[in-house]
Amino acid sequence: MPQFPGRIVSKLPKVGTTIFTVMSGLAAEHNAINLSQGFPDFDCAKPLRDLLVKYVNSGLNQYAPMAGVMRLRERIAEKVAALYGASYDPGHEVTVVPGATYGIFTAVATLIRPGDEVMLFEPAYDSYAPAVEAAGGVPVYVQLRYPDYSIDWREAQQAITPKTRMLIINTPNNPTASVWSGEDMRMLEGMLRGTDIVVVSDEVYEHIVFDGHRHQSAARFPGLAERTYIVSSFGKTYHVTGWKTGYVLAPRELMAEFRKVHQFNAFVTNSPVQHALAEYMENRDAYLALAAFYQKKRDFFLEGIRASRFKPLPSRGTFFQNLCYDAVSEERDTDLAVRLTKERGVASIPISVFYREPPPHRVLRFCFAKSDDTLAKGAEILSKI
Ligand code: PMP
Ligand code: GLN
């Protein structure tokens, strides 16, 4: 193909290929234990697979309704009411989308105009800033404080300007594995009272909170729910990241604007997948048991690396365990992650990629959504380093 003859002015000049694609590719190339990208290496439940086959075979293979299959929206609204005490109307306030990334990107595209400021907390999941920049917005960063990744709410307050249109929050948090408390959510609620600022709350790990703590959904806080797009994903909850299906909750007026953009973007989400998920959601145990399932995996991995020179940071939620490598190496995390993959056969994610500038602390992120066999092999390698 000949080259494009004109000049391309990139909207995302600093963006390369995502670290997840890079590290999973490197892990495959070097046949390494892949604890980098966040996805299970075990299969989803057979009844869920059977349901998908059932709905494909029953002819539900054409476009779903624009906002999503109604029975799935009803199950989602029921779940959110039961867990967080919030009432969302499945007709106007719940939309099924092709994954949480899409939900976040579309919410940003719906409201952000050139020059609008969007507050992000750093380290930030890697899709947020590009979504803001693609819309012409300006990310404004507030630092999470190492090593517990807590928030200085005074600093957040000071970062608000007349141009602030939106905040993107994420609890349980990727990549820090921290979890916001009810007090954090109340601080946020108080900070935004009386403003026009909208929140996008990325809650894809809502069912993966450890040690008896509760997920503090924005839905629990009326002063937040009234201004928030809550985004979640079935990928994490049912071990089906490849199905790329999630949902967005928002008050009616916000959702009406969201759907205006959604209908000309993806328009709809995969139809048989939605029917399968709707039926599967009738069994509440599948998501209620998830936290215990992953807590066991976290603890199994931690036990495996107990004698190693890597020092665990708290993992309070998500399926990630961060390890500080101060005692192992002085290398940059990006260099170490590559070297461990190539030379030792274990892949991780360097935390610095979630910052604009590399932070002074040395941390790698390991995903424990893996079979016990994979985790044992990974831990064994780490213990010898
Ligand atoms: N937000 C966060 C914090 C995530 O970790 C992920 C996925 N790993 C997503 C969004 C994207 O979810 P989905 O695959 O449904 O787009
Ligand atoms: N969110 C997942 C992670 O943090 C990966 C998803 C992706 O590859 N985009 O590892």
Side-chain angles (χ1 to χ4, degrees), residues 38 98-102 104 125 127-128 170 172-174 202 204-205 232-236 241 244-246 319-320 365:
T101 314
Y102 172 95
I104 295 160
Y125 183 62
S127 82
Y128 302 162
N170 171 218
N173 186 269
N174 180 10
D202 178 348
V204 300
Y205 300 101
S232 194
S233 173
F234 293 102
K236 322 287 162 184
T241 59
K244 285 302 292 187
T245 304
F319 42 49
F320 303 114
R365 191 199 80 175

Side-chain angles (χ1 to χ4, degrees), residues 18 20-21 36-38 125 174 205 236 320 349 354 365:
T18 86
F20 309 117
T21 304
S36 65
Q37 192 177 19
Y125 183 62
N174 180 10
Y205 300 101
K236 322 287 162 184
F320 303 114
I349 296 288
F354 303 101
R365 191 199 80 175

Side-chain angles (χ1 to χ4, degrees), residues 5 64 107 133 167 213 281 285 303 326 346 348 367 375 379 385:
E133 285 164 352
L167 263 96
H213 292 291
M281 275 191 91
D285 291 345
E303 182 55 29
D326 274 345
V346 61
S348 58
C367 173
L375 291 175
I385 293 169

